[in-house]
Amino acid sequence: MRLRNIIILTVIVPLFLILVVFSLVAIKSLEDNVRSKLQTEVQIITHAIGTSLGYAMERDTPVALQESLHSAFSFHRIYGAYVFDTEGEEIYGLGLGRALFDAEDIRAVVDAGELSGHYRQHDGWTYYSALLPLTTPDGEIRGVLQVNRLNTGIENYTGFISLLAVLVFVIGAGGIVFSIWWGFRRHIEQPLNRLLAVMARVEEGDRSQRAVIGGPQEYRRLAGALNGMLDAMAEKDADIEARRLKEIELEKRLRKSRKLAELGVLAAGVAHEIGAPLTVINGQAQRLARHEAIGDDERARLDRIRGEVDRIVEIVRQLMELGRRHNVEKERLPLDALIESARELVEEDLERRAIRLEVDLPEPTPQLLVNGQQLIQVLTNLLRNATQADEVHRVCLRARVEGDELRLWLEDDGPGILDTDKSKVFDPFFTTKPVGQGSGLGLSMVHRIINDHGGTIGVFDSELGGAGFEIGLPLDDTMHSDITERGSVT
């Protein structure tokens, strides 16, 4: 059942019935009060006249009888007065209402011996008549006095007043019902419908809907509570979506980490196999360079061969390091000292290209449980990559502690990394540098070191306009062990 119908049945209908009963009782009380007042006045007048008439009838003086009856007309609305003997015959009378009673009615009053009142109609008029036995001082009943009062005042309009009161009541009740209906529709039903419409759209999937704060205080509070609930749901949904995306990203990084590990093992095997032939080539080139029979041009070519062999040897060393799983020996070191050591290693590159390095660290400086040499290598490789990019003038390095983890961001204002290359930057041998200027193993090594520390590393577009790298490192071994149990992620 609708709330409007419930209010009508439980509030308006009982109120209407109460008002009806109250109005009827009030009208009935008014009528009774008017009639009672009329009867009382007539009875008092009748008693007053009856006393003098009793003495007049005892002395049998018609003049006194007539004077007493004439005195009755000095009272308000007395329109008739008659004196009858005990047999019902009229002795003397004045005014209206002579034929209201017959002889039998008069004799009945004599037999009763007490005052009686009656409403009678005659010739379209309504009278109230009082019949009083006339007694002498010694108690003998000598006749009956009839006093008539005509209903010409408010008592004639009690029916009309009743009808008018009922009509006013119906109009007033209708106005009350309409006011309640209009107030209910405007201040209860419409705000409820607005809230229901919002909830219906939310149910259909539109979580951006919000209720309008307005109307009575209760509805403002209800709308505010609904909006708060929807905001909380939106926050939960956003958190769930963020967790889902993070899990997807972690899964991608886990697969990438496994892929890199497999590639590292393969590369280490290949590097081990070609290490010995490279040593032979380098030795033979060195021996040839010592012969005096060869010219300068041949000696320069041999030096170039030896240089390329040395480069291959370095690549082989990096490949073997990449494929080897290390037991990282850690110690607790301040972050600012590690960053300062890395800055000193690339200071010459920074000064040569006039690149400004900005460092933003939390206070106090956090202590990291890391292998200092390896973490310096990570920072050095990332800084050197930034200094080697085109059109870089500013490099920002900032860190923040988030729970049990240190988050470190390194960004530059260079051209950045293409979206198609972001998924490959940590792959071995991937490089955007010209041939002969990069092995493509630097970032792979960075990935391996961060992974060995139980951390994460990712690439993003910096607000400075260039490339950005985000590193997450656990502050203690507990977090590291938890990550190791789940699998290495980057």
Side-chain angles (χ1 to χ4, degrees), residues 46-209:
T46 302
H47 275 293
I49 299 173
T51 302
S52 61
L53 286 176
Y55 286 105
M57 293 188 72
E58 181 183 17
R59 294 192 299 271
D60 196 17
T61 55
V63 176
L65 182 65
Q66 294 175 9
E67 289 178 353
S68 296
L69 285 180
H70 279 285
S71 66
F73 291 92
S74 64
F75 295 98
H76 185 54
R77 293 181 185 170
I78 298 300
Y79 288 87
Y82 296 88
V83 177
F84 300 91
D85 61 16
T86 56
E87 296 301 323
E89 295 296 329
E90 180 182 338
I91 298 175
Y92 186 75
L94 296 172
L96 303 176
R98 163 65 184 81
L100 293 178
F101 299 93
D102 54 21
E104 239 178 77
D105 296 328
I106 299 301
R107 288 194 293 271
V109 173
V110 173
D111 293 338
E114 60 182 12
L115 176 69
S116 63
H118 306 274
Y119 280 95
R120 294 295 172 91
Q121 288 188 345
H122 182 67
D123 293 336
W125 297 94
T126 300
Y127 299 87
Y128 176 75
S129 298
L131 299 175
L132 177 69
L134 296 175
T135 59
T136 61
D138 57 3
E140 180 185 2
I141 298 176
R142 300 288 295 275
V144 175
L145 172 63
Q146 174 186 341
V147 178
N148 301 327
R149 181 169 182 177
L150 185 63
N151 289 349
T152 58
I154 190 173
E155 58 271 17
N156 282 335
Y157 299 99
T158 54
F160 173 74
I161 293 174
S162 300
L163 180 61
L164 182 62
V166 171
L167 181 62
V168 171
F169 168 75
V170 171
I171 295 175
I176 292 173
V177 171
F178 176 78
S179 299
I180 294 176
W181 173 83
W182 182 83
F184 176 87
R185 180 175 178 82
R186 177 176 178 83
H187 299 294
I188 297 178
E189 191 173 26
Q190 289 182 355
L192 273 179
N193 288 337
R194 287 196 296 267
L195 292 178
L196 290 174
V198 171
M199 288 188 283
R201 288 192 290 268
V202 171
E203 184 181 7
E204 292 172 358
D206 185 4
R207 299 292 183 89
S208 63
Q209 288 293 323

Side-chain angles (χ1 to χ4, degrees), residues 350-370:
L350 293 172
E351 292 178 352
R352 184 176 66 252
R353 299 194 57 187
I355 297 175
R356 184 173 73 256
L357 176 62
E358 300 175 0
V359 180
D360 179 16
L361 303 181
E363 293 290 343
T365 302
Q367 300 280 325
L368 297 178
L369 189 61
V370 294

Side-chain angles (χ1 to χ4, degrees), residues 460-474:
F460 64 95
D461 291 329
S462 170
E463 294 181 355
L464 301 179
F469 289 88
E470 180 180 2
I471 297 174
L473 288 171

Side-chain angles (χ1 to χ4, degrees), residues 189-261:
E189 191 173 26
Q190 289 182 355
L192 273 179
N193 288 337
R194 287 196 296 267
L195 292 178
L196 290 174
V198 171
M199 288 188 283
R201 288 192 290 268
V202 171
E203 184 181 7
E204 292 172 358
D206 185 4
R207 299 292 183 89
S208 63
Q209 288 293 323
R210 293 296 181 271
V212 177
I213 306 297
Q217 181 180 2
E218 290 78 5
Y219 285 97
R220 291 200 301 269
R221 294 173 60 187
L222 183 60
L226 176 62
N227 290 344
M229 180 184 69
L230 293 176
D231 290 339
M233 291 174 57
E235 291 178 2
K236 292 294 183 182
D237 291 343
D239 183 62
I240 292 173
E241 180 64 16
R243 289 178 180 270
R244 186 183 70 85
L245 294 177
K246 187 174 182 180
E247 289 177 358
I248 293 175
E249 183 65 22
L250 289 176
E251 182 65 23
K252 290 180 179 179
R253 292 181 179 182
L254 178 59
R255 289 197 299 267
K256 185 176 184 65
S257 178
R258 291 172 179 171
K259 176 182 176 182
L260 290 177

Side-chain angles (χ1 to χ4, degrees), residues 246 330 402-407 453-456 472-486:
K246 187 174 182 180
K330 300 178 181 179
E402 298 180 358
D404 295 330
E405 189 178 36
L406 174 76
R407 309 298 297 183
H453 280 76
T456 62
L473 288 171
L475 295 174
D476 52 51
D477 277 337
T478 301
M479 188 174 179
H480 183 192
S481 62
D482 292 341
I483 295 175
T484 304
E485 291 177 0
R486 296 194 305 265

